[in-house]
Amino acid sequence: MAAPIPEVVILRLPLYYRILTLLQEETEIVSSQELGAQLQITPAQIRKDLSYFGKFGIQGKGYNVNQLLGELRHILGLDRQWSVVLVGVGRLGRAILDYSVLEPQGFHITAAFDTDSRQIGKKVGQLAVQDIATLSDTVKNQGINIGIVAVPPSEAPEVINRLVSCGIKAILNYAPVAPAIPSDVRVYNIDPVVALQTLTCHLKSLGTP
Amino acid sequence: MAAPIPEVVILRLPLYYRILTLLQEETEIVSSQELGAQLQITPAQIRKDLSYFGKFGIQGKGYNVNQLLGELRHILGLDRQWSVVLVGVGRLGRAILDYSVLEPQGFHITAAFDTDSRQIGKKVGQLAVQDIATLSDTVKNQGINIGIVAVPPSEAPEVINRLVSCGIKAILNYAPVAPAIPSDVRVYNIDPVVALQTLTCHLKSLGTP
DNA sequence: GTGTGTGAATGTTTTCACAGCG
DNA sequence: CGCTGTGAAAACATTCACACAC
């Protein structure tokens, strides 16, 4: 029961969750076979992944979509609201603030910060941009759990340090840096350049047009 | 020599490349030890990763930063320009067009498309938004290699199909879908909701504040 | 001495294959 | 019968540890 869940499994759970949300409208029961076909994942892998957390299926039939959604919501910690702080309100930061999918998924951006003093006080959406110096107070007072970093590369290590010393344990990092962080803090990096470079590595080995 | 390179290795190469670019200014030679410290990766892993492609180091010293950069550029296919097509010029698409890092890294966004007819003809940056119906011609005439998908979820499967049938072999997909694609086409998915959900899964197991 | 390159050892993840349940 | 849940096997990835080159 207290088995350590492989990280790769956790990376797949949100995919299951998303597909099930879509399937919810269409069907009551789904088999690992059908799920796998949608996600390009083997049925055995899906069954094994879920088995780390319990027995959610009905033998001979499959999984009850609604029930499994509930289980995944619980496993992923989606059965509550999460308060998120955004640092960096440039082009990217604004796009994130406007991204209308976060709110319905339970991610509430509570405060926005910037390191550029010219931005401070400006309104972006509902929020007034705050001075980064007030980050710590806001995080503690508002019980914020997650930080999103959308500042230029040069600012990023400093910003990430600040988030860590506020006690934030989860960071979604859009800056192209590989910060050193304590092992109890999770960082998920999103970097389009890195993504494109892995793609070109594969393209290269194709016949060059 | 014709050994198959593990996918995980390819995912790390861009990280090595980026760190080396930064180190370039500071030093001539770097050891796997030092690289590993920067990236939170074991030195043995770095050496093994590189050994899939050749012997780039100097025994007793380390790696020549410039030379290794050259090798990685070659391995990743970065020693040329890549033409990229963007589909979807909403908030996200515009942020990508404005993202000034792509161009200097050799990724040139050549054309922009949208499925929404009200967008067609509008200028975004240097580019006029084209009708998605003209995608195939543009891709073929301009020798485009890579597609970026930044359309709403409902449009995404159709757009991805179109890109695939144009002969595009690499797709950077920002839409929250898991499209079925032929095995010779690479898709890299970027989805902040999935990212946040893996983070909350870890947060949950912490003491709830 | 120092750090690479690498086979061999260890650890992890995926797949197989089937018992058992609805 | 059909599909889940799961040990056992196979495939894959990381780490070790050392011969060898500078």
Side-chain angles (χ1 to χ4, degrees):
Chain A
M1 263 291 116
I5 314 293
E7 187 61 27
V8 271
V9 171
I10 294 178
L11 291 170
R12 281 190 295 264
L13 296 179
L15 306 180
Y16 302 162
Y17 184 75
R18 191 173 61 197
I19 273 285
L20 286 164
T21 309
L22 298 174
L23 255 44
Q24 198 178 18
E25 328 268 80
E26 291 173 36
T27 177
E28 187 84 17
I29 303 283
V30 68
S31 67
S32 60
Q33 182 79 225
E34 296 167 305
L35 276 176
Q38 304 263 340
L39 290 165
Q40 327 265 261
I41 291 177
T42 65
Q45 182 151 79
I46 294 175
R47 294 202 303 276
K48 171 111 321 170
D49 284 356
L50 295 175
S51 79
Y52 282 102
F53 302 96
K55 303 182 183 190
F56 308 132
I58 311 150
Q59 306 232 19
K61 308 202 81 179
Y63 299 88
N64 177 304
V65 176
N66 274 310
Q67 188 213 317
L68 188 51
L69 271 170
E71 300 286 359
L72 284 172
R73 228 182 327 264
H74 181 68
I75 294 164
L76 289 168
L78 304 177
D79 45 8
R80 52 164 288 190
Q81 261 244 343
W82 293 96
S83 294
V84 181
V85 66
L86 172 70
V87 188
V89 293
R91 192 80 55 169
L92 174 61
R94 283 157 202 267
I96 295 166
L97 271 173
D98 274 349
Y99 190 44
S100 57
V101 179
L102 297 184
E103 198 67 41
Q105 293 289 337
F107 297 102
H108 182 54
I109 300 182
T110 306
F113 292 83
D114 208 293
T115 49
D116 179 352
S117 56
R118 287 168 302 177
Q119 297 286 351
I120 294 163
K122 279 195 189 163
K123 277 263 182 184
V124 287
Q126 312 278 26
L127 300 171
V129 179
Q130 300 178 52
D131 189 319
I132 186 86
T134 65
L135 179 69
S136 183
D137 284 350
T138 307
V139 166
K140 281 163 193 162
N141 293 339
Q142 305 194 18
I144 289 168
N145 319 100
I146 301 171
I148 301 183
V149 176
V151 297
S154 57
E155 317 275 355
E158 164 68 2
V159 166
I160 291 168
N161 278 343
R162 276 175 183 272
L163 286 168
V164 169
S165 46
C166 293
I168 284 214
K169 296 282 182 261
I171 296 174
L172 180 56
N173 174 38
Y174 282 86
V177 294
I181 37 93
S183 62
D184 65 334
V185 179
R186 296 272 155 183
V187 178
Y188 190 112
N189 297 299
I190 291 184
D191 182 346
V193 170
V194 166
L196 286 168
Q197 289 174 344
T198 69
L199 288 172
T200 55
C201 185
H202 290 109
L203 278 183
K204 192 201 48 161
S205 45
L206 257 57
T208 334
Chain B
M1 266 287 116
I5 315 293
E7 187 62 27
V8 270
V9 172
I10 294 178
L11 292 170
R12 280 190 296 264
L13 296 180
L15 307 180
Y16 302 162
Y17 185 75
R18 192 173 61 196
I19 273 287
L20 287 164
T21 308
L22 298 173
L23 255 44
Q24 199 179 17
E25 328 266 81
E26 290 173 37
T27 178
E28 187 85 17
I29 303 284
V30 68
S31 67
S32 59
Q33 182 79 226
E34 295 167 307
L35 276 177
Q38 303 263 341
L39 291 164
Q40 325 266 260
I41 291 178
T42 66
Q45 182 150 79
I46 294 176
R47 294 203 303 277
K48 172 120 308 179
D49 284 356
L50 295 174
S51 80
Y52 282 104
F53 302 96
K55 303 182 181 190
F56 308 132
I58 311 150
Q59 306 234 16
K61 309 204 80 179
Y63 300 87
N64 178 304
V65 175
N66 274 310
Q67 188 213 318
L68 188 51
L69 272 169
E71 299 287 357
L72 283 172
R73 227 180 330 260
H74 180 68
I75 294 164
L76 290 168
L78 304 177
D79 44 8
R80 53 163 288 189
Q81 261 244 343
W82 293 96
S83 294
V84 181
V85 66
L86 172 70
V87 188
V89 293
R91 193 79 57 170
L92 173 62
R94 283 158 202 266
I96 295 167
L97 270 173
D98 274 348
Y99 191 46
S100 57
V101 179
L102 297 184
E103 198 66 43
Q105 293 288 339
F107 297 101
H108 182 52
I109 300 182
T110 306
F113 292 83
D114 208 293
T115 49
D116 179 351
S117 55
R118 287 169 301 177
Q119 297 285 351
I120 292 163
K122 280 194 189 163
K123 276 262 181 184
V124 286
Q126 312 278 25
L127 300 170
V129 179
Q130 301 178 52
D131 189 319
I132 186 87
T134 66
L135 179 69
S136 183
D137 285 350
T138 307
V139 167
K140 281 163 193 165
N141 293 339
Q142 305 194 17
I144 289 168
N145 319 99
I146 302 170
I148 301 182
V149 176
V151 296
S154 58
E155 318 274 355
E158 163 68 2
V159 165
I160 290 169
N161 277 343
R162 276 175 183 271
L163 287 169
V164 169
S165 47
C166 293
I168 284 211
K169 296 283 181 261
I171 296 173
L172 181 55
N173 174 38
Y174 282 87
V177 294
I181 37 93
S183 63
D184 65 334
V185 179
R186 296 272 156 184
V187 178
Y188 191 112
N189 297 299
I190 291 183
D191 182 346
V193 170
V194 166
L196 287 168
Q197 288 174 344
T198 69
L199 289 172
T200 54
C201 185
H202 290 109
L203 279 184
K204 191 201 47 161
S205 45
L206 258 58
T208 334

